[in-house]
Amino acid sequence: MIVVTGAAGFIGSCMISRLNEDNFNHIVAVDDFSFPEKNKNLEGKKILEKVEREEFFEWLDKNHLEVEFIFHLGARTSTAEFNRDILAHLNTDYTKKMWNATIKYAIPLVYASSAATYGLGELGYEDSETIIPDLKPLNPYGESKNEFDIWALEQEKKPMFWAGLKFFNVYGPNEFHKERMASVVFHAFNQISKTDGMKLFQSHNPDYKDGEQQRDFVYVKDVVEIMMFLMYHRQAKNSGIYNVGTGEARTFLDLTKATFKAMGKDENISYIPTPEDIRDKYQYFTEATMEKLRKIGYDKPFTSLEEGVEDYVKHYLMGTTRY
């Protein structure tokens, strides 16, 4: 029996599909199931039981002997969320309860951190645990994730195996419900479909030309492969906090051109000013260092941006199909 929190969400629902592919069908899906559009992500998946988010720990007290692994992917993921009470409850405090429960019941744990913890990247993007207390996230969401990472590292008692995953710019199927927080690929596809063109933010940094701002874009199918690897190769010595990116930054221009090509349309790209309310905190470059994960044996190649965009656009967005 494997628990996936955030089960109806983007990465959580993709993780359930990947688990099903390896014949893990005793899945306990944990989420707030009051959002019909998000619940569509679970249609057709093999799930043993659904448990409401706020009832999970009571459920775990009764069923812990059957639980083999927990993927804690549920959180308030909006970088525009400024209600710190909500973020404290759903991100920091809930994950602390999960951490303590997995210690009590000797259950391995993988939880979602975020590359938002790196802020402007003043200290680089290396997943060294020594720099975590000094990171300066740019928004309350990133702060909530970093606060938990700091807390986890301070704990004397830890789960039998645990990994915190700093997801970079994840894109791919099952993000229809994310609206503003969906990936740039999703927004590019929709904008090109409606207008035959795509507007990108101008650069307000002399070191970067328009459209050449860079991100580490990682396909969600690579993300779930990493999580499967961690489940299969869980060893106490490999516990820790890991980046989940590709290790290669690419430009928004690259991404947009790949989207036009996947859609079979001629490129039509223009630029608009970056909104002033985010201009001062805008990231011009992110790139995960991936050596730490490679050192514990993860050796699969990452999907190129062009391959990932083509798969996403042709097999999912064009037919509104879910993974």
Side-chain angles (χ1 to χ4, degrees), residues 178-234:
K178 288 177 67 75
E179 298 177 346
R180 185 182 174 190
M181 291 299 136
S183 72
V184 183
V185 184
F186 179 84
H187 290 301
F189 175 83
N190 287 330
Q191 194 174 130
I192 294 165
S193 296
K194 291 176 183 175
T195 69
D196 287 326
M198 177 63 183
K199 291 179 168 61
L200 294 175
F201 288 152
Q202 293 172 351
S203 172
H204 302 274
N205 181 327
D207 295 332
Y208 293 85
K209 295 179 181 177
D210 290 346
E212 294 190 4
Q213 305 94 319
Q214 296 180 64
R215 294 284 188 279
D216 193 331
F217 299 105
V218 57
Y219 197 30
V220 71
K221 291 185 180 181
D222 290 337
V223 171
V224 298
E225 286 302 322
I226 289 170
M227 290 196 282
M228 293 297 290
F229 168 83
L230 291 169
M231 182 179 73
Y232 281 132
H233 298 87
R234 54 186 183 267

Side-chain angles (χ1 to χ4, degrees), residues 42 48 70 80 88 131 134 152 167 201 220 241 243 266 276 315:
L42 295 178
L48 184 69
I70 294 178
I131 70 169
D134 299 319
F167 296 131
F201 288 152
V220 71
I241 294 174
N243 282 339
D266 294 333
E276 290 190 12
H315 296 126

